[in-house]
Amino acid sequence: MENGGPAAGNRSSSQVNSEALRVLPYTEDLVGAVTEFNERIRRAGAPFLLPVRPAPDWLPKVGDRQIYEEIFVVVQDGFVRGAYTLKRQEFSFAGRLLPAAACRMPISEAIADKRYGLVGPKIIHDALRRMPLLYCLGIGSLDANISRMLRAMGWTWRVVPFFFKVLNGFRFLRNIEYLKTGLPRRLALDAAAYSGMGWLGARTVRLLLKAKTARQGLPLAEEVSEFASWTDEIWRMCRSRYSMTAVRDSEVLNILYPASDPRFIRLKICAASRAIGWAVLLDTVMSCNKYFGNMRVGSIVDCLALPEDAPQVVAAAANNLEHRGVDLLVSNQSHPAWCDGLKKAGFFVGPSNFFLLMSKQLSGLLSDLDPALSNMHLNRGDGDGPIHL
């Protein structure tokens, strides 16, 4: 919900009265108004546009499913002035199942006309009315207008740490656009790549970890086409061990990571002849990515196990991706056990732009269970939309 924009300077500075704004479900009769709204915000450089049709492409409401999305629009005199998507899902709070929701893709006409600055607060108040246990996950920056507004409203925020492991030092140094913030740094990274330093460093770390793995062994990781009843047993074991974690039984996992989507690598991880956890991976060839250039990136996007089994699951997931030949491994994980598991597997902590913001009601509930807010299990799988790494 960006304020200002190229067209803002040509508009009156008087605010549109909040009472004139109504929030309605996105229905077929509003398609024309949404199309016109998209055109106005597109000219103002909007980061995204609203879906052309009301039914969400990602998580439509089907039957009595507990995980689905709804799109709501802010309307004034027949014109759409803003919108947001509510992703509903059940979460376990130390074993207690409660509905919660992510407020996704909020956007306001204020991006083109600052008279509509009250659309943003209208969206958040409406989302809270529908789902008090509300959060935003992803965001990208605490300086974004949505982040500043939510913090001003008393929302609590946490960073979800980012971890990376370099496997191909040359390609990493040549392609890591995120670090090439100026010509001197770009030249230094290119020089390091061609000197062989990156290759040698990455290979040394891999050899040390390989020797450690040979001593300790790895659990068995089996690729599966879908999640079955063994997943439900893992969920039953884990649901009370985290202060907050989204329901991850077989039904939900097969909705989020369907067998029909060939991008997802689903691992069943076993030790001592029993399933101890699972992981969902991606093996993605980037093309002119603003962070990773043209690297082949392996990502651990979702996972679950008991905290004490997290290092084994991470090691098995990382090993699978390494054998595929990726250049770089990445993951975002919130829980200390998963963070420690990544470090033990040779990952380093990098700068994270993956932020969690929680409503007062949600942070209040969590504070009673987990005063330090350190026992949550959240990762990319809980993010602000379908995974497109």
Side-chain angles (χ1 to χ4, degrees):
M1 289 179 292
E2 299 299 323
N3 292 323
N10 299 323
R11 307 284 188 174
S12 166
S13 61
S14 59
Q15 292 272 316
V16 171
N17 191 325
S18 179
E19 296 300 319
L21 303 170
R22 295 185 301 147
V23 183
L24 304 172
Y26 181 15
T27 52
E28 287 289 342
D29 59 307
L30 291 166
V31 168
V34 164
T35 301
E36 294 173 356
F37 173 75
N38 278 340
E39 180 58 26
R40 293 194 299 274
I41 62 173
R42 184 193 62 78
R43 292 195 299 265
F48 59 86
L49 302 178
L50 299 187
V52 177
R53 312 308 306 185
D57 293 329
W58 183 35
L59 294 172
K61 184 171 175 53
V62 177
D64 59 355
R65 282 182 182 176
Q66 297 300 303
I67 178 170
Y68 61 93
E69 287 193 333
E70 298 174 290
I71 303 173
F72 297 94
V73 293
V74 182
V75 178
Q76 178 209 22
D77 297 330
F79 290 91
V80 169
R81 302 302 186 185
Y84 75 97
T85 298
L86 199 65
K87 176 192 172 190
R88 297 180 182 267
Q89 186 174 3
E90 281 192 318
F91 277 75
S92 173
F93 295 93
R96 180 187 178 194
L97 294 186
L98 293 172
C103 181
R104 292 189 53 232
M105 300 175 67
I107 195 161
S108 163
E109 183 126 359
I111 194 172
D113 185 343
K114 58 187 176 183
R115 290 179 301 166
Y116 294 96
L118 292 178
V119 169
K122 188 80 172 184
I123 284 173
I124 298 304
H125 287 303
D126 184 77
L128 283 169
R129 179 180 63 82
R130 299 176 191 274
M131 184 59 68
L133 300 181
L134 190 67
Y135 67 94
C136 293
L137 181 61
I139 304 296
S141 171
L142 289 179
D143 291 326
N145 284 340
I146 177 65
S147 302
R148 293 201 301 265
M149 183 182 73
L150 293 177
R151 286 189 290 156
M153 294 171 67
W155 285 40
T156 300
W157 69 273
R158 290 288 185 275
V159 62
V160 179
F162 171 74
F163 294 85
F164 70 97
K165 181 179 180 179
V166 178
L167 300 177
N168 187 320
F170 175 79
R171 288 185 58 79
F172 174 78
L173 292 170
R174 288 285 291 144
N175 285 278
I176 189 65
E177 295 297 326
Y178 186 79
L179 298 179
K180 296 184 177 184
T181 54
L183 182 60
R185 182 173 288 187
R186 182 177 294 273
L187 292 174
L189 289 170
D190 287 346
Y194 286 107
S195 72
M197 291 172 55
W199 174 87
L200 180 61
R203 181 168 175 79
T204 300
V205 171
R206 290 182 69 183
L207 288 173
L208 290 173
L209 286 168
K210 186 176 181 180
K212 180 181 177 182
T213 299
R215 293 193 302 270
Q216 298 178 346
L218 279 173
L220 175 66
E222 174 191 359
E223 291 189 24
V224 296
S225 60
E226 61 183 2
F227 294 97
S229 58
W230 57 269
T231 317
D232 300 323
E233 180 58 30
I234 292 171
W235 170 245
R236 284 191 289 269
M237 291 191 304
C238 296
R239 55 184 281 181
S240 63
R241 295 292 301 277
Y242 298 100
S243 61
M244 177 182 176
T245 186
V247 169
R248 285 173 162 89
D249 58 18
S250 59
E251 180 185 8
V252 169
L253 290 174
N254 287 324
I255 292 170
L256 290 172
Y257 312 112
S260 60
D261 193 330
R263 297 177 307 146
F264 296 119
I265 304 161
R266 307 159 197 82
L267 293 185
K268 176 183 180 180
I269 299 165
C270 300
S273 301
R274 68 179 182 88
I276 62 169
W278 54 263
V280 176
L281 318 176
L282 289 177
D283 177 353
T284 309
V285 178
M286 300 292 183
S287 178
C288 300
N289 183 272
K290 65 179 179 180
Y291 297 118
F292 303 119
N294 298 313
M295 274 189 283
R296 183 176 171 185
V297 178
S299 49
I300 304 172
V301 299
D302 206 347
C303 47
L304 186 64
L306 294 169
E308 55 267 30
D309 291 329
Q312 293 188 78
V313 172
V314 168
N319 184 65
N320 179 282
L321 289 168
E322 288 181 33
H323 278 85
R324 288 173 174 271
V326 301
D327 303 317
L328 178 70
L329 299 179
V330 299
S331 190
N332 285 88
Q333 299 291 334
S334 67
H335 192 276
W338 291 93
C339 295
D340 290 344
L342 287 163
K343 292 175 184 177
K344 289 176 180 176
F347 286 71
F348 294 92
V349 181
S352 178
N353 64 355
F354 202 60
F355 295 98
L356 168 69
L357 289 102
M358 298 177 286
S359 68
K360 289 182 179 180
Q361 294 91 329
L362 178 55
S363 60
L365 171 64
L366 276 170
S367 294
D368 291 338
L369 301 170
D370 178 18
L373 298 180
S374 62
N375 195 36
M376 298 179 289
H377 179 47
L378 299 168
N379 54 37
R380 284 280 172 181
D382 302 297
D384 59 0
I387 297 167
H388 294 301
L389 187 64

